[in-house]
Amino acid sequence: MLENKNTENTSLESLGEFGLIEHLTKNFTLKNESSIKGIGDDAAVLDFKEKKAVISTDLLIEGVHFDLSYMPLKHLGYKSVMVNLSDIYAMNAKATQVTVSIAVSNRFPLEALEEFYSGVALASEIYNVDVVGGDTTSSTKGMLISITAIGEVIEEDIAYRNGAKPNDLLVVSGDLGAAYCGLQVLEREKEVFKVNPNSNPDLSMYTYIVERQLKPEARRDIIELLKTLDVKPTSMIDISDGLSSEILHLCKQSGVGCNLFEDKIPLDPTVIAACEEFNIDSTLVALSGGEDYELLFTIDQKEFLKIKGNPNLTVVGHMTDQNEGAHLISRNNSKIPLTAQGWNSFSND
């Protein structure tokens, strides 16, 4: 994964820190008016004028958040940016800049970092964000990535987590559970490879779910769609740790309860098929799988006709009074308390 034995690799030591930064970032250009000064000085200079700035940072650690035995470095660069842009869009904001910091051990040659940064560059180009800074350093523990995303938004458009009201509709973008199913496929093939390094798996039937794991897309299109439909979410969050965890975040911070209807949860047919193959419950995967990077939000009931029938959005439930609690209404109409079973980076499992 890290070394192509048919080419000569360039050690990072030969460039030095500043030479490395210059080499990896030499092709980044500024596209947003708010980017006054990017890479090349002690700090970036941004100007948002009358708009509010929103900022989000994520830390990704090799062996905890990603596995380089099946995660291509270009995909990792792309996904690292997506993880952060998703948080900006979850504020109903426009992402405009990112900073990229990495720490790597000496097993990474320059060519490996070029691959990673090519993914960063692709993401920044597609999503029209400027790479305006960052840092590089050495690591004794493999690869560490820290990306900060910055965005802009008019104050009255900001969607916090604490604005949901009883009777608001609970809406989700896209479909859920695909990233987790893709991870199961990749982990299985990793184990097969350990036993038979000459194996050549055919993953064509898993294309959608594997791509959702390796190359997720942040839902900028949903923010643009809501503006077009003239719909202002009363609260919003992105789905990174599983649907149930995110619903409970909205409930706690808004002081409300929720009824989530199992038969309304959007599942792609390939997810249902994969769940049958792996003998896991598709509802549980949607509730707890994580890494979908879809948007979960609430809207006032009077906005329903504006989104009705839109293929990108699904009403999956409604908010209730806080004393009613948060529940999953099963297909047989049982009322099951929602619990946060999403991924926990501090778990010992």
Side-chain angles (χ1 to χ4, degrees):
M1 176 61 68
L2 296 179
E3 297 184 16
N4 183 342
K5 297 186 184 302
N6 295 321
T7 62
E8 184 176 340
N9 290 320
T10 307
S11 72
L12 301 184
E13 184 180 4
S14 65
L15 280 84
E17 180 182 357
F18 295 110
L20 176 62
I21 294 172
E22 182 178 356
H23 178 84
L24 294 174
T25 62
K26 61 186 177 183
N27 294 322
F28 289 125
T29 58
L30 302 182
K31 301 176 284 292
N32 291 283
E33 289 183 3
S34 54
S35 301
I36 306 302
K37 178 66 177 178
I39 298 167
D41 216 308
D42 293 299
V45 179
L46 311 178
D47 180 9
F48 294 98
K49 298 182 173 63
E50 74 279 2
K51 296 181 179 179
K52 302 298 181 184
V54 289
I55 302 170
S56 178
T57 297
D58 271 297
L59 184 64
L60 304 174
I61 310 296
E62 182 182 352
V64 177
H65 301 98
F66 58 89
D67 187 333
L68 289 176
S69 64
Y70 52 71
M71 169 64 83
L73 284 163
K74 184 173 183 178
H75 287 67
L76 179 60
Y78 191 93
K79 182 174 181 177
S80 299
V81 175
M82 290 303 108
V83 169
N84 286 269
L85 297 189
S86 183
D87 285 330
I88 300 300
Y89 300 137
M91 300 296 293
N92 203 31
K94 173 189 174 184
T96 48
Q97 291 90 14
V98 294
T99 66
V100 181
S101 297
I102 57 171
V104 290
S105 64
N106 59 11
R107 85 175 199 269
F108 290 81
L110 173 64
E111 288 73 16
L113 297 195
E114 288 176 335
E115 275 292 290
F116 175 83
Y117 270 82
S118 69
V120 171
L122 180 61
S124 67
E125 185 66 28
I126 292 175
Y127 283 79
N128 196 36
V129 296
D130 295 328
V131 180
V132 296
D135 194 15
T136 61
T137 190
S138 60
S139 163
T140 59
K141 300 293 184 182
M143 189 175 200
L144 297 85
I145 305 161
S146 178
I147 292 186
T148 297
I150 302 161
E152 62 182 29
V153 61
I154 299 172
E155 186 170 11
E156 56 264 30
D157 288 344
I158 300 175
Y160 296 103
R161 297 180 182 182
N162 62 2
K165 301 290 189 296
N167 300 317
D168 279 358
L169 300 178
L170 184 67
V171 186
V172 69
S173 68
D175 56 80
L176 305 177
Y180 180 82
C181 288
L183 179 63
Q184 302 315 299
V185 171
L186 293 168
E187 288 285 352
R188 180 183 67 185
E189 296 307 321
K190 176 184 175 180
E191 294 305 313
V192 171
F193 180 80
K194 287 179 180 178
V195 176
N196 179 16
N198 295 318
S199 65
N200 187 21
D202 179 11
L203 300 181
S204 58
M205 63 183 294
Y206 304 110
T207 298
Y208 178 68
I209 58 177
V210 169
E211 184 170 294
R212 286 292 297 263
Q213 170 58 219
L214 296 182
K215 188 179 173 289
E217 300 291 345
R219 298 308 304 261
R220 174 183 62 176
D221 60 315
I222 298 300
I223 302 306
E224 296 168 348
L225 173 64
L226 292 176
K227 284 182 170 58
T228 300
L229 297 175
D230 191 28
V231 173
K232 166 66 192 299
T234 54
S235 67
M236 187 183 286
I237 191 172
D238 77 324
I239 303 176
S240 56
D241 297 328
L243 179 61
S244 60
S245 293
E246 314 305 358
I247 288 176
L248 291 174
H249 283 310
L250 292 184
C251 287
K252 180 179 179 180
Q253 298 203 25
S254 294
V256 295
C258 179
N259 285 330
L260 168 69
F261 294 88
E262 181 181 18
D263 62 350
K264 300 296 184 184
I265 298 174
L267 299 170
D268 189 86
T270 58
V271 171
I272 296 172
C275 287
E276 291 175 352
E277 180 180 348
F278 285 93
N279 194 29
I280 50 181
D281 183 79
S282 58
T283 298
L284 183 61
V285 167
L287 291 175
S288 305
E291 289 199 293
D292 290 309
Y293 300 108
E294 296 293 345
L295 293 176
L296 175 71
F297 57 95
T298 56
I299 61 171
D300 190 287
Q301 285 196 29
K302 69 175 184 285
E303 307 274 35
F304 173 67
L305 290 179
K306 296 179 180 179
I307 70 166
K308 182 181 179 181
N310 193 294
N312 297 290
L313 304 173
T314 305
V315 177
V316 294
H318 61 86
M319 313 315 279
T320 64
D321 289 328
Q322 187 173 29
N323 57 15
E324 294 185 32
H327 293 88
L328 174 73
I329 310 301
S330 69
R331 291 186 178 90
N332 63 10
N333 214 33
S334 299
K335 205 169 186 179
I336 305 166
L338 274 181
T339 56
Q341 297 178 340
W343 185 77
N344 180 356
S345 63
F346 293 100
S347 170
N348 292 321
D349 296 336

